[in-house]
Amino acid sequence: MEKYPEKKDDISIVLCGAAGQGVQTVEQLLTHLFKRSGYNLFATKEYMSRVRGGSNSTELRVSSWRVQAYLDRIDILFPLSREAMKHVEHRVTGETIILGEKEKLLSPDGSQDMAIIDIPLSDIASKIGGAIYANIIATGVIAALFDMDRQSIIDDLSRRFSKKGDTVLANNIRAIEHGYDIGHGLIRSGAVTITMKKHSDVADDIIISGGEAVGMGAIAGGCNFISSYPMTPSTAVLTFLAQQSKAFDIIAEQAEDEIAAMNMAIGAWYAGARGMVTTSGGGFALMTEGLSLAGMMESPMVIHLAQRPGPATGLPTRTEQGDLDLALYAGHGEFPRIIFAPGTLQQAFELTAKAFNLADKYQVPVFILTDQYFIDSYYNTPRIDVSGCEIERYIVATEKGYARYALTENGISPRGIPGDGKGLVVVDSDEHDEAGHLTEDHHVRISMVDKRLGKTALLQQEAVFPEVLGKSACKTMIVCWGSTFTIASEAIRRLGRDDICLAHFSQVYPLHPRTADILSKPDRLVIVENNATSQFARVLKIHADIDMKRKVVKYNGLAFSVEELENGLGELL
């Protein structure tokens, strides 16, 4: 088993402040700078549903090892306000280094309950041009502590702020310079010492977020139409594809609501495009009528559903794996579907690309099920090899007498596109005959239902095999799906036991035909889910007759931390 990194080679930095204080700007600057400097990096954020105020935090995990999961531990804390520090103080230990403006971070009675290295951010920022520059000073301090190249950061600032005018750019550069001087002073005084090794090969990696990985996969899958009504946290995919629309000839449409977005995408597939919608729970609830339409029309459809805690608006900017049941049972009537749940950026890319080919081949809806934690997390990863990506088209040129819903031996009717051939392409939301015309003939109804549901067996044959880490003859198997993969794999490594293995399902429906075989071998099974009722355990019971009696669940709106899951599993085992 791979050795777990020592603390000195794995440092967790947390920046926290109110919305509007520039915490995300620091995150965006530092993530790319750390990677370019030769450090492995994982970054994630938690934030409140408001434009100004509240308390938000960003974690930057810097390591000489590849890291892909969130730590509870804070090694360096950079709070921009007292309220923000209160927000994360339960994660502070005696070993946490707190950098910040002591006067602002004192308790209301003026006492100091934590050791703080004083950095007069307000005074310096005020002399530069205003409080808005405090976050850039903090960026300079961290960059100096990790021995990053000063000119590289100035170049980054120039690209980011040059359009805002010479004064703004000059002030940001002055703020960085001040931050650097402070950071070097901390090193000289011995207040902070960081000896982490850099690795030049990291600079060749890419650093992307979960949202960008889904968007890149969509492009690789031939997506040329996306429609959506913005909804956190799914909007990252719409934004990414809109930004790439000119380069990859993609139509990106912000619809008036989710119902329109879904129907637009169905229309796009009908016209021969490769359409996608991206939404979150409440938005997808509105799309379910359109989903049923796709089911009856046997229209291909790709749906990115980024989960967040419900019901209703719930916790709109937080995370949860709470919409598996919704994706599995959404829509009236009975029709087949595929549900992917990637656990890594690589899987998100590959499965999203695959979704378009499967949707086209079997004429069914295909879901990409992610969540806020996955969409908003970044880490460096080797460049994705796209040479194996192939856009598979299954459209036929129609002939005279073409029947859109022809009964075939394998249950897949040849799909024609209006105007491509001599045939008439008729589709209907009512039950229909082979030609697509409305019918109430009971015998035809049975034939069409059997044809649609018969695809389920074909989809199962194409199901993605779960990834198993550790010895296949292990005594205990941890089972997880979606975004919990990287957290669970690190938690198991920390446990350091060779009798534990991990099975991750990146396809949660239909299950791979060998699912029961895989899960019946270990003596004990433990499922890990980021929801209250263990929704995937029910899927395993219904579709594989596997009982998951031991469960570790979390549903407070946050993802598991590595330490939390390590402790939870340790208590059960």
Side-chain angles (χ1 to χ4, degrees), residues 15-320:
L15 299 110
C16 53
Q21 282 193 293
V23 172
Q24 289 193 17
T25 300
V26 177
E27 174 198 296
Q28 291 166 10
L29 277 169
L30 286 176
T31 49
H32 293 274
L33 290 169
F34 272 119
K35 195 271 296 183
R36 281 212 300 269
S37 300
Y39 295 107
N40 291 288
L41 183 91
F42 169 84
T44 192
K45 63 170 75 75
E46 54 87 23
Y47 49 100
M48 299 184 75
S49 178
R50 57 177 68 182
V51 177
R52 292 273 174 188
S55 294
N56 307 325
S57 70
T58 287
E59 176 174 302
L60 300 168
R61 187 179 173 191
V62 188
S63 178
S64 55
W65 299 63
R66 288 195 182 278
V67 283
Q68 302 175 347
Y70 156 69
L71 285 182
D72 198 47
R73 186 189 81 223
I74 301 177
D75 298 311
I76 298 175
L77 174 62
F78 218 131
L80 298 178
S81 68
R82 171 70 190 171
E83 292 73 24
M85 191 163 80
K86 291 286 290 181
H87 183 59
V88 298
E89 69 179 7
H90 62 284
R91 298 169 58 190
V92 173
T93 68
E95 296 182 353
T96 302
I97 298 170
I98 304 175
L99 305 173
E101 195 166 358
K102 187 180 289 186
E103 187 177 347
K104 279 191 171 182
L105 301 179
L106 293 175
S107 298
D109 62 1
S111 64
Q112 180 179 330
D113 46 10
M114 295 182 188
I116 300 167
I117 297 176
D118 188 27
I119 299 176
L121 292 171
S122 293
D123 283 349
I124 300 171
S126 177
K127 291 172 183 173
I128 291 172
I132 195 173
Y133 297 105
N135 61 338
I136 302 298
I137 298 169
T139 303
V141 173
I142 294 171
L145 295 178
F146 283 84
D147 190 29
M148 294 189 208
D149 178 61
R150 184 185 301 222
Q151 188 56 47
S152 177
I153 298 182
I154 292 174
D155 292 344
D156 248 37
L157 289 174
S158 298
R159 284 192 291 273
R160 181 178 291 269
F161 294 111
S162 58
K163 291 183 180 177
K164 294 183 180 292
D166 293 341
T167 301
V168 171
L169 175 59
N171 287 346
N172 276 287
I173 292 174
R174 287 176 63 199
I176 276 288
E177 298 279 9
H178 276 286
Y180 253 93
D181 293 342
I182 294 168
H184 285 151
L186 293 174
I187 294 170
R188 285 194 299 273
S189 68
V192 183
T193 303
I194 293 173
T195 58
M196 190 182 296
K197 292 180 180 176
K198 300 178 183 178
H199 299 277
S200 57
D201 56 337
V202 174
D204 294 330
D205 284 358
I206 58 172
I207 186 163
I208 55 174
S209 67
E212 290 168 336
V214 171
M216 291 166 63
I219 293 171
C223 176
N224 53 14
F225 182 89
I226 181 167
S227 49
S228 171
Y229 185 77
M231 190 170 190
T232 303
S234 69
T235 307
V237 175
L238 172 65
T239 304
F240 178 81
L241 288 178
Q243 290 168 339
Q244 312 304 321
S245 59
K246 290 184 179 177
F248 294 97
D249 202 17
I250 299 168
I251 295 174
E253 176 70 20
Q254 179 178 320
E256 65 267 33
D257 57 39
E258 285 86 352
I259 299 170
M262 176 63 95
N263 289 333
M264 284 179 183
I266 293 172
W269 279 101
Y270 178 65
R274 290 195 141 193
M276 180 183 193
V277 294
T278 179
T279 189
S280 295
F284 180 67
L286 293 172
M287 290 182 173
T288 55
E289 185 175 286
L291 181 74
S292 289
L293 176 61
M296 176 56 91
M297 287 175 58
E298 299 188 55
S299 171
M301 176 56 59
V302 177
I303 302 143
H304 171 237
L305 173 52
Q307 301 165 98
R308 67 187 207 184
T313 312
L315 298 172
T317 59
R318 306 294 176 173
T319 200
E320 196 166 271

Side-chain angles (χ1 to χ4, degrees), residues 509-526:
Y509 186 81
L511 296 173
H512 191 278
R514 287 186 54 208
T515 296
D517 293 339
I518 298 165
L519 300 185
S520 60
K521 291 178 181 175
D523 297 335
R524 289 184 297 189
L525 294 172
V526 179

Side-chain angles (χ1 to χ4, degrees), residues 271-535:
R274 290 195 141 193
M276 180 183 193
V277 294
T278 179
T279 189
S280 295
F284 180 67
L286 293 172
M287 290 182 173
T288 55
E289 185 175 286
L291 181 74
S292 289
L293 176 61
M296 176 56 91
M297 287 175 58
E298 299 188 55
S299 171
M301 176 56 59
V302 177
I303 302 143
H304 171 237
L305 173 52
Q307 301 165 98
R308 67 187 207 184
T313 312
L315 298 172
T317 59
R318 306 294 176 173
T319 200
E320 196 166 271
Q321 292 181 306
D323 289 340
L324 174 55
D325 282 349
L326 177 64
L328 185 56
Y329 300 114
H332 48 288
E334 300 169 302
F335 56 95
R337 67 196 71 193
I338 299 170
I339 306 175
F340 290 132
T344 66
L345 300 178
Q346 180 79 28
Q347 287 180 356
F349 174 83
E350 293 173 354
L351 293 175
T352 306
K354 186 182 180 75
F356 283 86
N357 287 339
L358 290 177
D360 200 338
K361 183 177 182 179
Y362 293 103
Q363 302 166 29
V364 296
V366 184
F367 290 81
I368 312 297
L369 203 56
T370 66
D371 53 54
Q372 180 270 325
Y373 171 74
F374 186 87
I375 288 296
D376 287 338
S377 294
Y378 297 74
Y379 55 81
N380 60 292
T381 186
R383 292 181 182 276
I384 296 173
D385 182 6
V386 300
S387 61
C389 294
E390 187 174 342
I391 298 173
E392 300 168 4
R393 301 303 304 262
Y394 296 91
I395 294 171
V396 300
T398 59
E399 299 291 342
K400 195 170 182 180
Y402 167 76
R404 171 67 186 88
Y405 300 107
L407 296 172
T408 62
E409 189 172 341
N410 68 359
I412 309 298
S413 305
R415 187 167 69 95
I417 302 299
D420 183 16
K422 300 176 182 176
L424 179 64
V425 182
V426 179
V427 297
D428 203 297
S429 66
D430 284 54
E431 192 55 273
H432 39 250
D433 60 18
E434 292 185 71
H437 298 301
L438 184 152
T439 182
E440 294 194 19
D441 184 301
H442 302 305
H443 298 291
V444 173
R445 163 68 179 176
I446 291 173
S447 297
M448 288 296 158
V449 170
D450 290 346
K451 181 171 88 76
R452 291 190 289 268
L453 294 183
K455 296 177 188 176
T456 301
L458 300 175
L459 301 182
Q460 198 169 25
Q461 291 173 13
E462 298 247 18
V464 177
F465 192 76
E467 186 167 350
V468 179
L469 301 181
K471 296 178 181 176
S472 57
C474 61
K475 291 183 178 178
T476 300
M477 178 176 279
I478 311 300
V479 178
C480 67
W481 62 282
S483 66
T484 53
F485 181 32
T486 55
I487 305 166
S489 60
E490 183 167 346
I492 292 171
R493 262 197 300 153
R494 288 168 65 114
L495 287 170
R497 287 174 47 173
D498 290 336
D499 62 336
I500 301 174
C501 62
L502 172 69
H504 174 259
F505 286 76
S506 59
Q507 179 167 342
V508 290
Y509 186 81
L511 296 173
H512 191 278
R514 287 186 54 208
T515 296
D517 293 339
I518 298 165
L519 300 185
S520 60
K521 291 178 181 175
D523 297 335
R524 289 184 297 189
L525 294 172
V526 179
I527 195 162
V528 174
E529 296 196 58
N530 210 174
N531 62 58
T533 62
S534 203
Q535 295 183 17

